[in-house]
Amino acid sequence: MLLRNAAVFLLCLAPACFGQLTTDQKVSDFLQLAGLYAKNYAPYEWKRDVMGFDLYDVKPWVAKVKNSKSDIEFLDLCVRYVASLQDSHDEFYIPSDFIADMRILVDIYDGKVLIEGVDRTALPRRLFPIDVGSELVSVDGVPVDDLIQQLIPYAADGSGNVITRRRLAADAMTYRLQTLMPPAGLIGDSAVIVVRGLDGTEATYTVPWVKSGTPMITVGPVPGFDLSSYKRPDPVAATRALLSHRGIDQMERRSTGSALRAAVAGRGERGLTREKVRAEEEAVPDYMVPLKELQTMEGIHTKVGSTGFAYFYPMFDPPANFQYRLGFGSTDEFFSGTYKAGAYNIGFIRIPDMSPTNSTLALTQFASEMAYFNANTDGLVIDVMNNGGGNLCYTQSLEQYLFPQPFRGVAYEMRATQTWVNFFSTTLTAAKRANAPQYAIELYTAYLNEVKMALSENRGRTGSLPVCTLSFENVQPATDKTGAVVAYKKPILVVTDEFTISAGEAFTMMLQDGDRATVYGMRTDGGGGNPGAYNATTYSESATRVTRTFVTRSKLAVTPDFPPANHMENVGVYPDILMDYMTKENFDTFGGPFVDGFTAAIVDKIAKGQ
């Protein structure tokens, strides 16, 4: 049974208090976690001054830690401390593989929690006659609005935006990962849910929790101080592995058009093909590994419902006269096509993520599509909804096929620490010995000098640093062998939502700041930095991600939600045309009004020559 709040969860631990950490051990672990953020967290001042959370103010947290009655209660406090940063790239993980899944997908439309899918293997219709589109009213007697509020601390991977947090918290009502939600290991065998059907009548169902893995109840006795033999897995990779067990393909859920439904079956081998090529591409020289890590900005993809991160196909049905191009081949990295809107030909391309299987293949495909669109369309719609991010330099390379003139590339400020000094110094030496490309040597040299300067001037962060090239100013457009510019030259509209995150946001930001595109949809998530995974606590064997850089913008972002800012963190990218996809009308019509809206917007841009 789903319990009402964390306090009730933790009361259940009273009979099982064996092997608990001592108070001193819990305080030691918490201060280790807090110190890790104090030393490495880049957006500290922004969180303190604007978001209202000072991570240095640990006194009230230490008091709570001392009063915690169990290991799970203590670990839950650690989760809540990190969640208070409201940072989409920062999550506290515990070493558990336990999952509890109700086998129901939900999301928020027009403020109501609607059921998007039901797994008919686990919940046969004869016993659970729940229709897609029905409203979830309560779980174990707790109204969904109250439950969402209780679950917000566990809304990892989208905490930069209040709307994103609420949608992720709604997802957590029916899907619990203990690695991100310590109390989930105490969940009962079933939940009682109230559902308001399509006809308005309410029905009550007792739904079993489908469980896998081993729940963590206590940390267990600490054998001593030597943990050198323990090799903790990368928390991002471990969480993604857990998510793969959800099996959402078994869901009875909404799809995106009859042509897509028919074609999805032909993409069954795509995952195998992608992983094989990815393994081949990832064989990079040792000196390039740190650089690639610094170029990565992505979420952990906790949202895996029908509107989840990196969902390959659009959330909406394409227009009826849509002519498909990419999307059904086993190695296709994009979904694309064209359609008619009045007198105009509109190009459309969906970029599902910024982590392609093979960046060379992906850029070749993208270049080919831009060449075709240049010759055959009057304007272009780019869909980056639910784009969970990835490699910033791949992102910048895509921009080179969209800007027919020089533009500002990706740049970020870096948290200055002695660790970075040693890191860049060692890597620079290795790069020189390996005869690395000159740009890599010069980048490492610039990073080393900037960090040393920031430390000498007692500054928390460096100035803006290039991420992909020797300078982030005047990045040149793509050209062919003759030197002719091959970038798309016609009007562009970018479609976003609150699950456009990380490098997906940087992609949108560059186009908006460079006056190259109109942004249509919702404010993006607000995940604006490069995270690193760290061993966070000694006794409780937990890990965390810490945002170490701060992506900067070329223009001051003026939005209704925040003071003017020159970065993406929390602010995200505010659309030029605000339009929410998450409405009941879009749900019922597979996005009809939303598609009509962005089509009208691109047509207007074309007509005005923008």
Side-chain angles (χ1 to χ4, degrees):
M1 178 179 290
L2 179 63
L3 301 177
R4 289 177 178 268
N5 52 50
V8 180
F9 268 121
L10 300 167
L11 287 175
C12 293
L13 283 177
C17 291
F18 59 87
Q20 306 285 357
L21 295 173
T22 67
T23 298
D24 286 346
Q25 287 170 343
K26 288 187 284 188
V27 170
S28 174
D29 268 9
F30 178 79
L31 291 178
Q32 181 180 341
L33 173 68
L36 182 66
Y37 276 91
K39 187 65 176 177
N40 296 283
Y41 189 69
Y44 164 69
E45 293 85 358
W46 169 260
K47 302 296 180 174
R48 180 196 63 196
D49 299 339
V50 177
M51 305 306 294
F53 177 68
D54 188 347
L55 66 87
Y56 289 179
D57 185 13
V58 299
K59 186 176 181 179
W61 291 93
V62 170
K64 293 177 182 178
V65 167
K66 289 180 177 180
N67 289 327
S68 62
K69 301 299 188 294
S70 69
D71 292 348
I72 295 300
E73 185 177 355
F74 161 66
L75 292 171
D76 197 55
L77 285 169
C78 293
V79 169
R80 291 170 182 271
Y81 173 77
V82 175
S84 298
L85 292 167
Q86 300 179 57
D87 192 311
S88 297
H89 289 129
D90 293 61
E91 304 89 14
F92 181 83
Y93 304 81
I94 70 172
S96 172
D97 66 344
F98 178 75
I99 299 173
D101 190 349
M102 201 184 289
R103 307 305 295 162
I104 295 174
L105 294 178
V106 299
D107 210 330
I108 301 174
Y109 293 82
D110 285 331
K112 296 180 179 181
V113 178
L114 301 187
I115 293 172
E116 294 184 318
V118 181
D119 180 356
R120 288 307 177 194
T121 300
L123 304 172
R125 176 170 283 279
R126 63 184 178 82
L127 298 177
F128 301 93
I130 303 170
D131 293 318
V132 169
S134 299
E135 180 186 354
L136 184 61
V137 177
S138 66
V139 179
D140 289 326
V142 183
V144 293
D145 282 345
D146 294 342
L147 191 54
I148 286 171
Q149 195 61 36
Q150 292 174 17
L151 293 174
I152 276 180
Y154 312 113
D157 199 34
S159 335
N161 183 320
V162 64
I163 299 176
T164 319
R165 286 198 297 275
R166 285 182 55 80
R167 290 181 63 188
L168 288 168
D171 190 58
M173 289 193 294
T174 64
Y175 185 64
R176 308 296 179 85
L177 281 169
Q178 193 184 22
T179 188
L180 297 170
M181 184 190 304
L186 310 173
I187 205 163
D189 292 329
S190 61
V192 177
I193 66 172
V194 176
V195 177
R196 183 174 294 121
L198 300 179
D199 60 0
T201 61
E202 293 186 0
T204 302
Y205 304 94
T206 300
V207 179
W209 285 104
V210 179
K211 301 179 181 180
S212 63
T214 302
M216 179 178 175
I217 305 302
T218 67
V219 169
V222 177
F225 291 100
D226 183 11
L227 295 179
S228 59
S229 62
Y230 176 73
K231 182 173 176 59
R232 186 170 297 120
D234 172 60
V236 178
T239 303
R240 283 178 174 162
L242 291 176
L243 290 168
S244 69
H245 294 300
R246 193 170 190 186
I248 61 171
D249 287 340
Q250 299 180 41
M251 293 286 185
E252 174 194 287
R253 65 182 190 275
R254 305 189 76 83
S255 189
T256 51
S258 58
L260 293 184
R261 288 194 291 272
V264 166
R267 294 177 53 82
E269 297 299 315
R270 183 174 188 270
L272 296 176
T273 305
R274 286 172 63 90
E275 290 310 311
K276 179 180 178 182
V277 179
R278 188 185 300 279
E280 294 171 356
E281 186 182 67
E282 286 179 350
V284 297
D286 289 343
Y287 65 80
M288 287 298 294
V289 172
L291 196 56
K292 290 183 75 69
E293 181 185 347
L294 283 169
Q295 294 166 353
T296 300
M297 200 169 78
E298 64 181 331
I300 56 171
H301 300 198
T302 58
K303 175 71 174 169
V304 291
S306 63
T307 58
F309 288 131
Y311 191 61
F312 186 81
Y313 295 107
M315 291 174 61
F316 40 79
D317 275 359
N321 63 2
F322 194 84
Q323 300 296 307
Y324 299 95
R325 287 180 54 78
L326 295 180
F328 304 136
S330 62
T331 59
D332 287 354
E333 296 285 355
F334 308 96
F335 174 88
S336 67
T338 61
Y339 66 101
K340 291 283 292 185
Y344 301 116
N345 292 317
I346 309 299
F348 178 92
I349 190 163
R350 169 157 176 74
I351 307 174
D353 57 42
M354 298 304 178
S355 299
T357 303
N358 182 293
S359 58
T360 301
L361 173 64
L363 289 171
T364 299
Q365 288 182 3
F366 197 77
S368 177
E369 291 304 279
M370 292 309 108
Y372 179 84
F373 290 150
N374 256 328
N376 296 281
T377 67
D378 302 296
L380 176 63
V381 175
I382 303 175
D383 173 15
V384 289
M385 298 172 74
N386 306 307
N387 184 311
N391 186 276
L392 286 167
C393 297
Y394 167 73
T395 303
Q396 182 170 297
S397 295
L398 293 178
E399 301 279 351
Q400 291 180 277
Y401 289 95
L402 299 171
F403 276 93
Q405 68 282 332
F407 62 96
R408 184 187 191 268
V410 185
Y412 54 48
E413 298 173 354
M414 182 179 296
R415 179 71 170 183
T417 65
Q418 184 61 38
T419 299
W420 281 125
V421 172
N422 296 338
F423 181 79
F424 291 135
S425 178
T426 302
T427 308
L428 176 60
T429 300
K432 288 178 178 178
R433 287 175 177 171
N435 294 318
Q438 188 62 28
Y439 88 92
I441 292 173
E442 292 186 21
L443 271 180
Y444 282 135
T445 301
Y447 290 164
L448 176 60
N449 291 338
E450 284 289 336
V451 173
K452 288 169 61 178
M453 183 181 297
L455 286 173
S456 70
E457 297 175 357
N458 199 28
R459 288 187 283 116
R461 294 196 303 267
T462 67
S464 289
L465 295 168
V467 180
C468 308
T469 49
L470 295 179
S471 172
F472 52 79
E473 301 290 355
N474 296 316
V475 177
Q476 297 300 306
T479 57
D480 61 18
K481 294 180 180 179
T482 70
V485 171
V486 294
Y488 188 73
K489 301 177 178 64
K490 298 172 184 179
I492 297 175
L493 185 93
V494 180
V495 183
T496 64
D497 69 351
E498 54 269 26
F499 281 137
T500 305
I501 185 174
S502 302
E505 297 180 84
F507 173 86
T508 309
M509 174 195 74
M510 285 186 277
L511 289 169
Q512 186 182 64
D513 287 357
D515 296 321
R516 182 65 187 99
T518 295
V519 179
Y520 177 99
M522 293 293 283
R523 174 166 67 89
T524 63
D525 177 73
N530 163 263
Y534 294 85
N535 292 342
T537 58
T538 299
Y539 296 107
S540 50
E541 305 177 66
S542 299
T544 196
R545 288 205 306 168
V546 182
T547 297
R548 307 168 296 183
T549 68
F550 204 45
V551 171
T552 58
R553 304 185 65 153
S554 62
K555 291 184 177 180
L556 202 64
V558 180
T559 72
D561 304 309
F562 295 96
N566 69 336
H567 57 80
M568 292 194 323
E569 182 66 27
N570 292 111
V571 178
V573 179
Y574 199 85
D576 302 296
I577 302 174
L578 188 65
M579 188 63 62
D580 191 1
Y581 179 84
M582 301 302 292
T583 68
K584 184 64 164 59
E585 187 177 10
N586 280 313
F587 183 87
D588 290 338
T589 62
F590 302 98
F594 191 79
V595 173
D596 290 344
F598 71 64
T599 297
I602 187 64
V603 165
D604 184 60
K605 280 181 67 70
I606 296 169
K608 292 178 178 178
Q610 298 176 338

